[in-house]
């Protein structure tokens, strides 16, 4: 892991499509690591991304970036998994899920074989199920398997709330928990701007509490992927930056609170599934999943979201 690792800090990336390449492009600008190996079943694609990124190095900080294979993951502090299959015309979500499960079953044993001591960060969708499967396939301790979870949804939520209130989204403290998907849950009862609960945030700009407008903001958050995919086919910049933030928290042992997906061990009565709650992330990976003082409705919605995931996991594990 990052703290114990001697020599250059290395990270691995499996899947150099839109999400993987966006992550790699953002990551190389941060200077957090000195080596990044790119792996893709389409090796030419990984090679082309490595070439393009390398040509940008004179504008940032020196770093070794190359298209490699699984053996090159040896000693990587973190391996980011963004490999996935896109939906084919006429294909159901369950069929797509089965294809992505097959991809994961091919990738994870190779990562662990060559890098048993690293952390795996999964972004491939459906990310909560993929995270739970990675945990099962890898046999790694739960602290070392992290899903990007609702980090993106939380960012979208903060961004839209910031726009609505004309406030820097970094000053908006609001979380989306649960599934990264349709059953996700906004934690309105805890949302605040600079410590002021949203219900009491009476701005001089005329943005008083407006339940209908806020519900609209949540719906735009939850449905953002559909809106973007409809217009440009995929979403990748914001998740790329989100993945950089998670890797940074690990490499710099920052103990950052983020809504990542990890194994539940009885939180709100939930276990045996990976799902998102605000979580402290550092060099050891998952350090602590926080228990928040949720309202009764929020707690129920979180449990329903977890149950939805468990049912879907049972469906896929009995068909593949
Ligand atoms: N977690 C999130 O918030 C979030 C956000 C956006 C997208 N995603 C997901 O990220 C994944 C990637 O999306 P994308 O837009 O980059 O897709 P993409 O099709 O552009 O890229 C996927 C890449 O994975 C590679 N790949 C496929 N099978 C592989 C295997 N067995 N081994 C190695 N590489 C393999 C492909 O060659 C391709 O380069 C999808 O599952 C998508 O749904 C997640």
């Amino acid at each position: 892991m990052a703290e114990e690792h001697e020599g250059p800090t290395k990270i691995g990336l499996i899947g150099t499509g839109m999400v993987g390449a966006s992550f790699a492009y953002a990551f190389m600008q941060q200077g957090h690591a000195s080596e990044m190996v790119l792996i893709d079943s389409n090796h030419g694609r990984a090679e082309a991304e490595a070439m393009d990124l390398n040509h940008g190095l004179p504008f940032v900080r020196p770093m070794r970036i190359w298209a490699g294979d699984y053996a090159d993951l040896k000693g990587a502090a973190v391996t980011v998994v963004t490999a996935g299959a896109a939906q084919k015309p006429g294909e159901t979500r369950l069929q797509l899920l089965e294809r992505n499960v097959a991809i994961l079953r091919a990738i994870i044993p190779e990562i662990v074989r060559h890098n048993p001591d690293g952390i795996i960060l999964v972004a491939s969708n459906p990310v909560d199920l993929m995270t739970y499967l990675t945990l099962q396939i890898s046999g790694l301790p739960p602290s070392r398997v992290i899903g990007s979870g609702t980090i993106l949804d939380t960012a979208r939520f903060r961004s839209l709330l910031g726009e609505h209130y004309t406030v820097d989204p970094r000053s908006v403290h609001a979380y989306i928990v649960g599934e990264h998907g349709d059953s996700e849950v906004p934690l309105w009862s805890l949302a605040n701007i600079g410590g002021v609960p949203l219900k009491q945030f009476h701005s001089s700009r005329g943005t008083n509490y407006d339940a209908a407008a806020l519900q609209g903001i949540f719906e735009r958050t939850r449905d953002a992927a559909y809106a973007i995919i409809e217009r440009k086919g995929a979403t990748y910049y914001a998740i790329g930056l989100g993945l950089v933030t998670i890797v940074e928290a690990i490499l710099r042992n920052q103990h950052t609170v983020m809504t990542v997906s990890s194994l539940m061990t009885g939180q709100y009565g939930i276990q045996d599934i990976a799902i998102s709650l605000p979580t402290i992330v550092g060099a050891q990976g998952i350090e602590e999943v926080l228990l928040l003082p949720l309202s009764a409705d929020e707690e129920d919605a979180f449990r329903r979201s977890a149950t939805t995931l468990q049912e879907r996991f049972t469906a896929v594990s009995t068909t593949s």
Side-chain angles (χ1 to χ4, degrees), residues 73-91:
L73 292 176
K74 187 170 184 291
V78 188
T79 301
V80 183
V81 178
T82 64
Q87 204 153 358
K88 288 179 182 167
E91 191 176 43

Side-chain angles (χ1 to χ4, degrees), residues 235-257:
T235 80
Y236 34 88
Y237 294 132
I239 184 60
L241 289 167
L243 293 170
V244 169
T245 306
I246 301 170
V247 174
E248 180 184 17
I250 296 167
L251 296 182
R252 295 170 57 88
N253 197 19
Q254 285 180 175
H255 316 293
T256 306
V257 175

Side-chain angles (χ1 to χ4, degrees), residues 186-201:
L187 298 186
W188 290 118
S189 72
L190 300 170
N192 69 81
I193 295 173
V196 184
L198 286 194
K199 275 204 166 159
Q200 291 156 32
F201 192 84

Side-chain angles (χ1 to χ4, degrees), residues 206-224:
T207 45
N208 289 340
Y209 185 73
D210 178 344
L214 293 182
Q215 177 59 21
I217 284 175
F218 167 61
E219 285 167 13
R220 280 162 62 207
T221 299
R222 185 194 55 203
D223 302 337

Side-chain angles (χ1 to χ4, degrees), residues 14-21 39-42 45 70 82-86 100 102-104 106-107 122-127 148-149 151-153 156 180 234-236 239:
I14 320 287
T16 56
M18 298 310 294
V19 173
I39 299 171
D40 199 291
S41 52
N42 177 351
R45 172 106 196 215
Y70 285 94
T82 64
N100 277 330
I103 290 175
L104 213 65
I107 289 174
V122 183
S124 310
N125 272 326
V127 69
S148 61
I151 188 171
L152 175 59
D153 316 73
R156 286 172 172 155
H180 168 59
T235 80
Y236 34 88
I239 184 60

Side-chain angles (χ1 to χ4, degrees), residues 85-101 125-126 312 315-316 319:
Q87 204 153 358
K88 288 179 182 167
E91 191 176 43
T92 66
R93 281 178 81 170
L94 195 60
Q95 285 166 332
L96 175 68
L97 174 56
E98 285 165 9
R99 283 203 296 136
N100 277 330
V101 168
N125 272 326
R312 222 172 295 149
V316 76
T319 54

